[in-house]
Amino acid sequence: MSNHQLDNASNKSVKKAVLVLFHNDLRIEDNETLVKAATLTKSNQGNLMLIYAGFLADCIEPKESRQAYHFNEMGAARQQFLSESLADLDRSLQRLGNRLLYLSPSYSSKSQLSQDKVESALNAFTQLCQLIEQQQVTDICVSHTADYNQNKGYAALQSKYPQIIWHRQSTHTLFADLPTQDLPKSFTQFRKKVEASHDLLNADEEVAVFPTPKSLPPMPDALIAHSKYLFKTQPSDEQALSFKGGETNAMIHLTHYFDSAAPRTYKTTRNALDDWTHSTKFSPWLANGCLSVKILLNRLRHYEREIIANESTYWIWFELLWREYFYWYAIEHGSNLFLFKGIGHELPATHFDDQRLQQWQNGSTPYPIVNACMNQLKQTGYMSNRGRQIVASCFIHELGLDWRYGATYFEQHLIDYDVASNWGNWQYLAGVGADPRGCRQFNLCKQTQQYDPNGEFIDKWQGGHVS
């Protein structure tokens, strides 16, 4: 009997499988992708494989070949938050009768990309292909994403396996489709159009969410004993970070926030640089998909009905619309999100300067408020929205640097990194994006006086002396 016949004989004994590729949907509540996969699997009486294979584009096309301003390692805080999120997802899946499989290459603490890491990245895509073939995958379920490079990974799989049926669900946004006929050129136009025809905040009915599965079909028997694919909890830094990854912690924070008085004063406190209660802090869980934005909006609607509806509670909706706008902006502009000239026609008058870049990254610029924000980011993976505007303005105007290097550094370290919001906001501030006013420059002395008048934030994060 030939090897081909042996393979066919072996495959006949393998149940067909449905595959879920998690990305920015790391939860079980209101996860249409998971519901769809479970339904398909049950109808096929097959197996269900649940895989996290992040950075697929790096596996098929190493980042350094795509852009000169790549990073070699994920920041410690971002990696820890992601690991905690995956561990929580794995525990939830186990309660439902399945397990999380993990094929993403690990990030080491080495400053250079080692040969082992390159091989690991390439091998992750190869391993995914092997699983698809060995387990006779008939369907692949993914969530829609604005991540251009992740979508390139999906496209590579579709090209390799044209016989597999793909199912894409909306899990990351309020709207399954662009809620306007065309994407407006500015956020204000987008907001007005949405509020005129799709005002979810004041709609009669709550936003519909998908039920949590009571159970899941099992993974293939062969993988249960194949421990190299099973997700293993990574040792975490002993440093106590304010943010803890995972859907469980997301729901705890959601409850605590709306049980407090913080929502009623959000608009007046949201620009604070370093207070836990002064902004919502939902962004890390939203970015990783540990928290459904629809569940969040329904909780906000409940707060307005039962507690108070004022300008501050409206402003939470306002910020959710900003997030929505940048998502559709990233979908609309694709690879232009990463161009030096952005979506414009003229190149910015900035350039690359390694010494100035290092000063900014290391918090050793002549500007204490900037240094403090950068030190906070490196230690915690978090920076307030006001802080991000301050350091980005300094990066572009005072230091005269190519904005893409700033966006990439944020990608490396932010625990709430979201490709659309991050790159869209950097384009916005650099004057090459969705802003009719062009470049926005902040007066750093005025910002310091307004948001850190006593120097407490600068002292805490060792920003240096204010002259």
Side-chain angles (χ1 to χ4, degrees):
M1 185 179 290
S2 68
N3 288 336
H4 179 70
Q5 289 173 314
L6 283 171
D7 288 342
N8 286 339
S10 175
N11 285 341
K12 287 179 181 178
S13 64
V14 177
K15 285 186 177 181
K16 296 188 183 304
V18 173
L19 169 62
V20 171
L21 288 176
F22 284 102
H23 179 50
N24 52 6
D25 50 359
L26 307 182
R27 64 178 187 272
I28 62 171
E29 290 195 44
D30 188 34
N31 191 333
E32 185 182 358
T33 300
L34 191 61
V35 172
K36 177 69 174 180
T39 302
L40 281 171
T41 308
K42 289 174 182 176
S43 66
N44 295 340
Q45 296 184 328
N47 290 314
L48 177 61
M49 291 196 296
L50 306 170
I51 295 179
Y52 180 81
F55 311 102
L56 271 181
D58 292 350
C59 297
I60 58 174
E61 183 183 0
K63 188 173 289 188
E64 60 267 33
S65 70
R66 299 201 312 269
Q67 56 190 41
Y69 40 96
H70 70 283
F71 61 86
N72 291 331
E73 60 184 77
M74 185 184 285
R78 184 182 171 199
Q79 178 64 67
Q80 180 170 328
F81 190 89
L82 175 59
S83 295
E84 291 169 350
S85 300
L86 293 172
D88 187 73
L89 175 62
D90 184 43
R91 287 191 291 269
S92 296
L93 296 176
Q94 287 190 54
R95 289 195 295 271
L96 297 178
N98 207 299
R99 292 286 302 271
L100 180 65
L101 307 176
Y102 182 75
L103 301 181
S104 183
S106 61
Y107 284 80
S108 67
S109 60
K110 298 177 182 178
S111 59
Q112 297 298 319
L113 195 65
S114 67
Q115 184 61 34
D116 288 344
K117 185 177 168 186
V118 172
E119 291 175 355
S120 175
L122 295 172
N123 198 32
F125 189 82
T126 302
Q127 288 180 3
L128 179 57
C129 292
Q130 289 174 347
L131 286 173
I132 288 172
E133 294 166 10
Q134 291 169 359
Q135 303 304 324
Q136 297 193 45
V137 171
T138 59
D139 300 79
I140 294 179
C141 297
V142 298
S143 294
H144 282 290
T145 176
D147 189 328
Y148 176 79
N149 291 315
Q150 185 73 7
N151 284 326
K152 283 178 69 175
Y154 294 158
L157 284 174
Q158 283 185 282
S159 178
K160 188 175 178 65
Y161 302 106
Q163 77 282 7
I164 293 178
I165 302 171
W166 282 67
H167 308 268
R168 285 179 167 84
Q169 285 73 40
S170 176
T171 66
H172 201 59
T173 53
L174 291 170
F175 304 102
D177 300 297
L178 179 65
T180 56
Q181 185 174 357
D182 299 299
L183 183 70
K185 292 183 179 180
S186 73
F187 166 71
T188 299
Q189 295 171 351
F190 175 80
R191 176 183 60 80
K192 289 180 177 179
K193 287 186 176 182
V194 169
E195 290 184 334
S197 56
H198 299 84
D199 187 4
L200 299 181
L201 181 64
N202 298 303
D204 293 335
E205 302 293 332
E206 289 195 341
V207 182
V209 300
F210 280 81
T212 304
K214 292 183 170 59
S215 64
L216 291 172
M219 68 166 58
D221 291 338
L223 295 182
I224 296 175
H226 212 315
S227 60
K228 81 169 185 175
Y229 292 126
L230 298 178
F231 175 79
K232 300 175 181 63
T233 302
Q234 302 297 315
S236 61
D237 194 326
E238 292 301 319
Q239 178 184 357
L241 299 177
S242 299
F243 294 93
K244 297 294 182 183
E247 181 178 17
T248 301
N249 289 304
M251 299 307 291
I252 290 172
H253 178 64
L254 182 73
T255 299
H256 285 174
Y257 182 77
F258 284 108
D259 279 351
S260 75
R264 69 175 65 211
T265 58
Y266 170 73
K267 190 172 187 292
T268 59
T269 64
R270 65 193 176 88
N271 281 312
L273 296 174
D274 199 27
D275 193 293
W276 178 263
T277 62
H278 283 178
S279 62
T280 67
K281 302 298 190 297
F282 291 125
S283 60
W285 292 291
L286 286 173
N288 288 275
C290 304
L291 175 64
S292 160
V293 66
K294 294 177 182 178
I295 289 177
L296 168 56
L297 179 58
N298 284 337
R299 191 64 185 82
L300 173 62
R301 285 164 48 89
H302 181 267
Y303 189 92
E304 286 202 332
R305 290 195 309 269
E306 302 297 327
I307 308 298
I308 190 173
N310 62 12
E311 193 174 18
S312 285
T313 55
Y314 167 78
W315 216 257
I316 298 175
W317 157 254
F318 181 90
E319 295 293 352
L320 292 179
L321 285 184
W322 258 116
R323 176 180 179 273
E324 200 79 14
Y325 178 68
F326 276 132
Y327 177 90
W328 297 109
Y329 179 90
I331 293 289
E332 174 86 7
H333 296 293
S335 61
N336 290 344
L337 199 65
F338 313 105
L339 294 181
F340 185 36
K341 67 177 182 179
I343 63 171
H345 302 289
E346 298 181 6
L347 296 175
T350 55
H351 62 280
F352 174 75
D353 184 305
D354 187 62
Q355 183 178 3
R356 290 184 178 182
L357 177 63
Q358 294 293 328
Q359 287 178 337
W360 183 81
Q361 291 177 339
N362 297 327
S364 57
T365 73
Y367 313 102
I369 189 71
V370 172
N371 299 339
C373 288
M374 295 305 295
N375 291 338
Q376 180 191 38
L377 172 63
K378 201 164 190 177
Q379 291 185 44
T380 69
Y382 175 78
M383 190 190 300
S384 68
N385 180 61
R386 175 58 51 174
R388 297 178 202 201
Q389 294 180 70
I390 289 171
V391 303
S393 177
C394 174
F395 188 92
I396 295 161
H397 299 290
E398 275 73 21
L399 301 180
L401 294 171
D402 179 341
W403 66 271
R404 296 172 298 175
Y405 289 86
T408 298
Y409 191 75
F410 273 20
E411 177 181 351
Q412 181 179 9
H413 289 285
L414 283 173
I415 58 174
D416 64 356
Y417 172 73
D418 174 271
V419 63
S421 294
N422 182 65
W423 289 84
N425 267 307
W426 271 94
Q427 282 196 354
Y428 183 86
L429 290 166
V432 296
D435 185 3
R437 288 174 47 185
C439 279
R440 291 177 180 248
Q441 182 173 7
F442 291 78
N443 183 311
L444 299 181
C445 289
K446 184 178 178 180
Q447 294 291 309
T448 302
Q449 292 168 2
Q450 184 170 356
Y451 296 108
D452 193 29
N454 300 319
E456 295 174 357
F457 178 77
I458 290 174
D459 287 344
K460 177 179 177 180
W461 296 106
Q462 301 177 337
H465 178 66
V466 180
S467 58

